[in-house]
Amino acid sequence: MSGKLVIGNWKMNTRADSAQALVSALLDHAATNREGVGIAAPAVYLAALAESLKGSRLALSAQDVSRFAADGAYTGETSAAMLADIGCRYVLVGHSERRQYFGEDNAALLQKMRNAIAAGVTPVLCVGETLEQREAGQHLEVIAAQLAILPELTDGDYVIAYEPVWAIGTGKVATLEQIAEIHAFIKNWCLQNIGSSDKIRVLYGGSVKAENAEAILATENVDGALVGGASLDADSFRVVCQAAGKLI
Ligand code: 13P
């Protein structure tokens, strides 16, 4: 495993013009136009952005994928094969917003992981506890339950992102101790339940921005960052990517 991975999750933001402008700004800089940096753009813009990214090293990512693998009567869905077809290298799976607003459960998420891996798109499984769960002392148990689908995957690479729900879009960042504790827990869980943790990258997400990126990315067992709000501003995202680039 070499270098840190930073993915900007644009969520349901941008328009065709602003998405292209953001990508142009990222392509203009060596800190963002490189291996180990990606953007997760809205599905409707992926194909156009894939054209703009041709020949660059910036990785295109989707924010979600269908749990159905084969073509067919699944109105509104985007399959893993379609994402692969236009050159997506990553796809977010089970982001807390999808779990919360779209009721995604482990059974659906396992299918999504399988489909992405089979299509050659690396899934990024997002896990994390709510504030209530943390206050009730259930955070480790909740995360273990979300990781429980991983032993079902017999082959293929994936990435895990720890995103405490209470730190997403709130400006509240988990402390470095909390981040270190959960990342060590996830790596250890993988070692115990999958037999290896060496090749599994664990990203942190939740109010990562220019000001805190270096400290978070330098924390033990943090292999990169999933960046929401700050990824919509090219300058802020560049600073996060620069911090990641310094820490190999
Ligand atoms: P923010 O960086 O806006 O807190 O969002 C984090 C996130 O959900 C990334 O997937």
Side-chain angles (χ1 to χ4, degrees):
M1 189 162 51
S2 66
K4 310 254 173 191
L5 174 65
V6 179
I7 298 178
N9 177 9
W10 294 1
K11 307 191 179 183
M12 196 170 78
N13 291 293
T14 69
R15 294 290 183 272
D17 285 354
S18 55
Q20 289 292 352
L22 195 43
V23 156
S24 300
L26 301 180
L27 289 177
D28 274 351
H29 274 270
T32 41
N33 185 359
R34 65 172 173 83
E35 221 30 73
V37 176
I39 49 154
V44 72
Y45 302 132
L46 289 173
L49 294 176
E51 283 300 311
S52 306
L53 292 175
K54 271 210 177 116
S56 84
R57 287 180 294 177
L58 186 58
L60 190 62
S61 170
Q63 299 175 10
D64 186 31
V65 63
S66 181
R67 68 187 166 93
F68 298 103
D71 288 7
Y74 305 110
T75 301
E77 290 290 272
T78 303
S79 71
M82 291 170 180
L83 297 181
D85 187 35
I86 60 149
C88 277
R89 284 170 48 195
Y90 296 94
V91 59
L92 308 185
V93 171
H95 190 281
S96 63
E97 288 148 18
R98 302 232 35 109
R99 293 178 193 259
Q100 180 184 353
Y101 301 125
F102 304 95
E104 294 190 349
D105 59 12
N106 272 3
L109 299 179
L110 176 58
Q111 284 306 328
K112 291 182 179 208
M113 296 288 287
R114 281 195 174 125
N115 297 347
I117 290 169
V121 180
T122 303
V124 181
L125 179 69
C126 304
V127 300
E129 80 285 359
T130 63
L131 187 59
E132 296 71 47
Q133 289 164 336
R134 178 165 277 271
E135 284 175 345
Q138 297 166 344
H139 44 294
L140 300 182
E141 187 185 317
V142 166
I143 292 164
Q146 293 169 335
L147 295 172
I149 60 175
L150 296 178
E152 309 285 328
L153 300 166
T154 45
D155 59 6
D157 279 345
Y158 48 81
V159 176
I160 298 169
Y162 169 54
E163 299 204 300
V165 178
W166 47 273
I168 295 177
T170 57
K172 270 189 213 156
V173 195
T175 65
L176 298 181
E177 290 73 24
Q178 287 171 326
I179 296 173
E181 184 205 2
I182 302 293
H183 280 243
F185 172 77
I186 292 173
K187 296 253 171 145
N188 195 42
W189 189 95
C190 290
L191 197 61
Q192 308 269 309
N193 294 278
I194 305 163
S196 154
S197 65
D198 292 354
K199 64 182 185 79
I200 301 174
R201 284 176 291 189
V202 184
L203 316 183
Y204 170 78
S207 299
V208 175
K209 49 181 186 266
E211 296 75 24
N212 59 24
E214 190 155 357
I216 291 172
L217 287 162
T219 300
E220 200 172 357
N221 291 317
V222 173
D223 303 312
L226 191 52
V227 186
S231 72
L232 293 168
D233 178 77
D235 293 334
S236 304
F237 191 59
R238 185 167 60 248
V239 175
V240 175
C241 294
Q242 267 159 350
K246 282 194 251 169
L247 298 158
I248 303 291

